[in-house]
């Protein structure tokens, strides 16, 4: 509703100046001048004087002036008289005067009359008068018409919202931006992209957000900040978040807090989170809880998590569950997980299932894993795979592994790759192993390297002085796994280096594997050292390998001690080699043992 009547008409006469443009003395002088002219019968002066008194809140003083000007046919006075009567509570009488002014061509009166009819549920009449106002260029009329049409789902909504926005209506600019943003997001979703950056609507939406934000619209500033943050323009994003937060938007204060935290300023972040949390923002309360939990201030953290929960943020209950679980308060953790899970929190459902599984309640865990997985929890889908695999239900397990792998779960992709290898589907196995290896799984990198290794042609024998060949893809994957601590990969990298004649590199990788507990690494390191003339050190590594169950290492040690003449020690290692095998080793060790026994008894 127009608070100040037919401003446009009064401004066009040049005889009305808004009070904000004059000081109090100048306004008093102007009022006195208009009063003298009104008393002399000047109709326009009566209208302007009535408008001035109406603005000031002097309804009793304004009414006779407006009625007199209206009786003389002044449409601005008729509109303002309607405003006055509406303020007094006489809505029907106000509508009568607005109708008179609107019929006489007053766009603000048509807008007010349209609003009046809409409030009473007469939408056809409301649309008629709002359209009259909008078509005359009245910005509030254009916005009100757009709002009415949007309520109906009319396609003309955007047209009139755009008209209002172009004429400076900040709410219209914001709502137009929201509509364009949604359209861009829908287009991106149908196109299978992550956002609407490639859609023209997204760029135009940003422009309207910017215009609305520049005119002081809090939510527009928040959305503009979010757009800029996603684009990596953090400094400008922070400025808009700050603008919105200072105007009292709790979500902007929360977003500003996260921006400051990511920049390393946790103390300033806490200040804005506190402001947002005190204004009822659950996300900010959760952030404060997490901050205090990291500092070991568990009681304060719990208080903020409860505040988040009270604000309607289900994450508060989930975080309380995590906090209790970390403190081994299993019963309380289960309670909070259940509360969040029943409210639809998928990660809480997954956490609850894990908790139940840990206490041996597999039957109780399964439905919660299923609920979380169906809601989109990737971890829950993977956990369901583990659950079914543990029962020997490989088909069901593979189905859930595939679902988790499709959502980017590294370990799930590894499990699918292993399953495909067992089935003999090497190409499909390679695809999944590449996904898992690319996601950082050393086991997947090793298995992928093994698949590629089996395909490559036999390399020619190494010759002295030959230039080392470039590393193949399988070697690169072996090295990636090895660098992540995968012991078998380390041994394999050492073997490849040894085959190239790079003894130093081979020794480095064998030693890394051996020190990590690899018996093959220790055995191969021993072979390398023995070839280089360091048999005593080689014997140390063979002993480590043999004690870990490596039969060939035990046989080597038996031979070493036999050559040294330490027959009893040689016999001891030969006995171990016989028990460890494999068959060929056990046979040779048995012959050696028998020979040593005969010599000892001679």
């Amino acid at each position: 509703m127009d608070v100040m009547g037919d401003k446009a008409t009064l401004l066009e006469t040049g005889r009305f100046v808004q009070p904000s443009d004059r000081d109090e003395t100048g306004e008093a002088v102007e009022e006195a001048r208009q009063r003298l002219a009104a008393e002399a019968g000047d109709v326009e002066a009566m209208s302007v004087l009535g408008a001035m008194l109406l603005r000031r809140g002097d309804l009793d003083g304004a009414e006779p002036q407006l009625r007199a000007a209206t009786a003389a046919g002044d449409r601005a006075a008729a509109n303002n008289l309607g405003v006055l009567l509406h303020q007094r509570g006489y809505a029907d009488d106000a509508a009568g005067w607005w109708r008179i002014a609107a019929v006489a061509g007053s766009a603000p009166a048509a807008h007010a009359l349209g609003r009046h009819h809409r409030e009473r549920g007469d939408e056809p009449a409301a649309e008629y008068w709002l359209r009259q106002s909008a078509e005359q260029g009245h910005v509030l009329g254009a916005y009100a018409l757009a709002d009415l049409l949007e309520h109906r789902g009319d396609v003309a909504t955007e047209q009139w919202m755009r008209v209002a926005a172009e004429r400076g209506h900040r709410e219209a600019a914001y709502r137009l931006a929201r509509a364009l943003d949604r359209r861009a997001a829908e287009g991106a979703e149908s196109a299978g992209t992550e956002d609407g950056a490639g859609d023209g609507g997204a760029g135009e939406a940003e422009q309207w957000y910017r215009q609305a934000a520049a005119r002081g619209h809090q939510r527009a500033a928040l959305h503009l900040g979010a757009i800029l943050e996603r684009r990596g323009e953090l400094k400008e994003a922070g400025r808009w978040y700050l603008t919105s937060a200072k105007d009292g938007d709790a979500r902007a204060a929360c977003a500003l807090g996260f921006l400051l935290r990511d920049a390393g300023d946790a103390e300033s972040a806490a200040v804005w989170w506190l402001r947002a949390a005190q204004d009822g923002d659950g996300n900010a309360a959760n952030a404060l809880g997490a901050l205090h939990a990291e500092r070991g201030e568990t009681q304060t953290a719990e208080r903020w998590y409860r505040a988040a929960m009270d604000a309607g943020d289900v994450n508060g209950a989930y975080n309380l569950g995590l906090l209790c679980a970390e403190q081994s308060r299993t019963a309380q953790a289960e309670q909070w997980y259940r509360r969040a899970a029943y409210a639809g929190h998928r990660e809480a459902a997954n956490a609850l299932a894990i908790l139940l599984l840990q206490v041996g309640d597999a039957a109780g865990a399964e439905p919660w894993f299923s609920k979380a997985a169906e809601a989109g929890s990737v971890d829950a889908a993977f956990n369901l795979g583990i659950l079914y695999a543990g029962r020997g239900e490989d088909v069901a397990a593979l189905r859930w592994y595939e679902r988790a792998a499709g959502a980017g779960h590294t370990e799930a992709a590894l499990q699918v790759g292993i399953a495909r290898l067992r089935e003999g589907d090497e190409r499909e196995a390679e695809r999944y192993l590449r996904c898992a290896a690319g996601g950082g799984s050393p086991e997947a990198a090793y298995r992928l390297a093994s698949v590629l290794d089996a395909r490559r042609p036999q390399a020619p024998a190494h010759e002295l002085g030959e230039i080392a060949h470039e590393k193949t893809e399988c070697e690169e994957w072996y090295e990636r796994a090895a660098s992540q601590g995968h012991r078998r990969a380390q041994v394999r990298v050492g073997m490849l280096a040894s085959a190239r004649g790079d003894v130093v590199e081979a020794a480095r990788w064998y030693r890394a594997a051996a020190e990590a507990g690899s018996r093959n690494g220790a055995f191969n390191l021993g072979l390398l050292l023995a070839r280089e003339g360091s048999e005593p050190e080689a014997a140390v590594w063979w002993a480590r390998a043999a004690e870990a169950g490596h039969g060939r290492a035990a046989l080597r040690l038996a031979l070493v001690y036999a050559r040294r003449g330490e027959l009893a020690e040689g016999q001891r290692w030969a006995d171990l080699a016989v028990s460890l095998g494999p068959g060929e080793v056990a046979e040779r060790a048995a012959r050696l043992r028998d020979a040593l026994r005969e010599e000892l008894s001679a």
Side-chain angles (χ1 to χ4, degrees):
M1 203 70 70
D2 281 334
V3 176
M4 191 47 237
D6 200 344
K7 301 177 188 175
T9 302
L10 295 172
L11 285 169
E12 286 167 5
T13 66
R15 298 174 60 188
F16 176 73
V17 181
Q18 298 181 60
S20 59
D21 294 334
R22 292 176 173 268
D23 57 22
E24 292 182 4
T25 302
E27 184 176 338
V29 170
E30 178 64 16
E31 182 181 330
R33 188 175 70 81
Q34 295 294 348
R35 191 177 294 279
L36 287 173
E39 290 171 354
D42 188 320
V43 174
E44 284 193 27
M46 295 175 192
S47 179
V48 172
L49 178 60
M52 293 179 73
L53 294 170
L54 177 62
R55 176 187 286 276
R56 200 167 67 204
D58 185 359
L59 304 188
D60 292 335
E63 186 169 352
Q65 298 294 336
L66 294 174
R67 284 189 181 276
T70 299
D74 188 293
R75 71 180 190 186
N79 177 49
N80 286 332
L81 180 57
V83 174
L84 185 147
L85 292 170
H86 188 271
Q87 289 183 13
R88 287 189 185 278
Y90 303 122
D92 292 336
D93 291 341
W97 291 110
W98 282 329
R99 182 179 295 276
I100 291 171
V103 170
S106 171
H111 166 249
L113 186 58
R115 291 280 302 275
H116 170 81
H117 284 298
R118 187 175 182 189
E119 287 168 2
R120 277 153 181 73
D122 188 353
E123 290 197 0
E127 182 180 352
Y128 174 81
W129 289 111
L130 291 175
R131 195 174 293 278
Q132 293 293 318
S133 174
E135 289 176 349
Q136 292 180 65
H138 193 268
V139 63
L140 295 178
Y143 175 71
L145 176 59
D147 186 64
L148 177 64
L149 295 175
E150 184 178 56
H151 174 69
R152 292 181 185 173
D154 195 300
V155 293
T157 299
E158 185 177 321
Q159 169 197 342
W160 288 108
M161 200 69 79
R162 189 179 294 275
V163 168
E166 288 172 347
R167 291 174 182 170
H169 196 290
R170 71 181 189 182
E171 184 66 24
Y174 171 72
R175 289 176 66 176
L176 177 59
R178 293 294 296 145
L180 292 168
D181 218 353
R182 282 191 294 269
R183 185 189 306 161
E186 289 166 4
E189 185 177 348
S190 63
T193 55
E194 291 184 359
D195 52 46
D199 189 291
E204 188 182 3
E206 181 182 341
Q207 294 172 12
W208 287 115
Y209 279 135
R210 194 175 290 278
Q211 289 198 31
R215 295 185 183 111
H217 197 290
Q218 289 180 10
R219 284 169 295 168
L222 171 64
H223 284 284
L224 180 57
I227 289 170
L228 293 166
E229 184 179 1
R230 286 195 299 269
R231 208 159 61 209
E233 299 177 24
L234 303 184
K235 190 173 182 180
E236 188 180 359
R239 284 202 300 269
W240 286 112
Y241 283 149
L242 180 61
T243 298
S244 183
K246 283 183 174 179
D247 286 340
D249 192 292
R251 289 178 301 170
C254 181
L256 180 59
F258 282 111
L259 207 62
L260 289 166
R261 182 205 62 184
D262 293 343
D265 190 354
E267 295 304 319
S268 297
V271 171
W272 287 105
W273 282 334
L274 179 60
R275 180 182 295 194
Q278 289 172 338
D279 287 338
D281 190 285
N283 195 22
N286 272 315
L288 279 172
L291 186 65
H292 287 289
E294 287 173 5
R295 295 172 177 173
E297 301 165 358
T298 55
Q299 289 185 338
T300 307
E302 185 169 337
R303 179 167 62 84
W304 281 115
Y305 288 148
R306 287 179 181 274
M309 191 171 57
D310 293 341
D313 192 324
V314 70
N315 285 314
Y318 173 59
N319 288 331
L320 275 169
L322 292 175
L323 192 66
C324 291
E326 288 173 1
Q327 297 171 339
S328 300
R329 294 156 57 192
T330 307
Q332 293 95 325
E334 181 180 342
Q335 170 195 343
W336 292 118
Y337 285 150
R338 281 190 185 277
R339 181 164 179 171
Y342 278 120
H345 196 293
R346 65 189 188 190
E347 297 309 326
N350 181 56
L352 175 59
I354 292 172
L355 197 66
L356 293 171
L357 204 58
Q358 288 171 344
V359 296
D361 187 3
E366 184 178 345
W368 285 112
F369 276 140
S370 295
K371 185 174 182 179
E374 294 294 350
S377 171
V378 180
D379 287 336
F382 176 64
N383 289 334
L384 265 178
I386 294 174
L387 192 67
Y388 283 118
R391 294 176 184 170
E393 300 176 34
D394 293 338
V395 174
L398 184 58
R399 184 173 70 250
W400 286 109
Y401 283 146
E402 286 178 334
R403 184 164 177 172
H409 196 287
T410 297
E411 290 304 311
L414 170 61
Q415 294 304 319
V416 177
I418 292 171
R420 295 296 180 227
L421 281 176
R422 283 198 301 265
E423 295 167 2
D425 188 350
E426 190 177 288
R427 293 295 175 185
E428 192 68 3
E430 181 185 341
R431 183 169 72 86
Y432 279 101
L433 290 173
R434 283 188 183 278
C435 291
S441 168
E443 180 65 24
Y446 172 74
R447 287 178 180 267
L448 174 60
S450 299
V451 168
L452 298 173
D453 202 359
R455 287 186 198 156
R456 66 175 182 165
Q458 184 69 31
H462 175 74
E463 296 179 6
L464 189 62
E466 179 184 340
I467 298 174
H469 67 279
E470 292 186 5
K471 292 177 183 176
T472 62
E473 186 187 5
C474 77
E475 289 178 87
E476 291 174 356
W477 284 114
Y478 277 135
E479 287 192 2
R480 179 179 295 194
S483 64
Q484 292 175 286
H486 194 286
R487 293 182 302 180
R488 283 178 295 166
Q490 290 171 337
V491 172
R492 184 62 182 145
V493 172
M495 290 171 67
L496 291 170
S498 180
R500 291 197 303 270
D502 191 344
V503 176
V504 174
E505 184 74 356
R508 182 171 75 87
W509 286 113
Y510 287 150
R511 191 178 297 276
E515 288 175 349
S518 169
R519 62 189 185 185
N520 285 330
F523 175 69
N524 286 358
L525 179 58
L527 290 178
L528 200 65
L529 291 168
R531 283 202 299 267
E532 296 296 312
S534 301
E535 190 175 84
E537 188 181 354
V540 172
W541 289 107
W542 283 332
R544 182 180 293 192
E547 287 164 358
H550 199 289
R552 285 188 172 84
L555 178 58
R556 288 274 179 174
L557 280 170
L559 291 168
V560 167
Y561 283 108
R563 285 198 301 271
R564 291 179 183 175
E566 300 177 30
L567 305 184
E569 190 67 9
Q571 184 178 340
R572 183 175 74 84
W573 285 112
D575 281 336
L576 182 60
V578 169
S579 64
L580 293 175
E584 177 192 350
V585 170
E587 185 180 342
R588 290 178 59 196
R591 289 199 301 269
L592 176 60
R593 179 193 59 191
D594 292 344
L596 292 173
R597 184 177 298 156
E598 287 179 11
E599 191 167 344
L600 280 169
S601 61

